[in-house]
Amino acid sequence: MAWLVLIASGLLEAVWATALGLSEGFTQPIPTLVFAITAVLSLVGLGWAVKRIPIGTAYAVWTGIGAALTVVSAMATGVEPVSLWKVVFLAGIILAVVGLKLVPDGRPEPADD
């Protein structure tokens, strides 16, 4: 359950990062509201997940998901140009995030709340 919450929080990080860009310095009300709501939800989820997943791993996964999805979204919408090297390095981020999930942390997993 903690990993699902962490992944959802990473997805929300990409949403708030994109909304931050669209808010034009918090002058646009709808993107500003989306930013505020998703930033809070993302951080609450991260905070909950780090009770069950080591902070270093959780933070790396959270930022990796958020960063990769933000760039992918920007490329898909034409805000950022697509390049082979961007795709290669984004794949590296994604592989690193998956790798962090697969590596055992050495702690027994607590029961879900």
Side-chain angles (χ1 to χ4, degrees):
M1 181 68 161
W3 279 96
L4 291 176
V5 170
L6 182 61
I7 291 166
S9 296
L11 295 171
L12 288 171
E13 184 192 4
V15 174
W16 70 249
T18 301
L20 178 62
L22 295 173
S23 76
E24 297 180 18
F26 301 118
T27 61
Q28 301 299 311
I30 299 299
T32 298
L33 183 62
V34 170
F35 163 79
I37 292 169
T38 56
V40 168
L41 291 173
S42 180
L43 288 168
V44 167
L46 175 63
W48 185 85
V50 299
K51 291 180 184 177
R52 293 147 184 88
I53 299 168
I55 183 67
T57 299
Y59 186 70
V61 168
W62 181 74
T63 57
I65 290 170
L69 288 177
T70 301
V71 174
V72 167
S73 172
M75 289 190 307
T77 59
V79 174
E80 264 188 58
V82 178
S83 76
L84 174 65
W85 286 112
K86 281 185 183 181
V87 172
V88 167
F89 292 124
L90 285 169
I93 291 171
I94 293 164
L95 287 172
V97 166
V98 170
L100 286 170
K101 167 60 176 125
L102 297 176
V103 173
D105 65 12
R107 300 184 317 175
E109 202 160 309
D112 287 331
D113 293 337

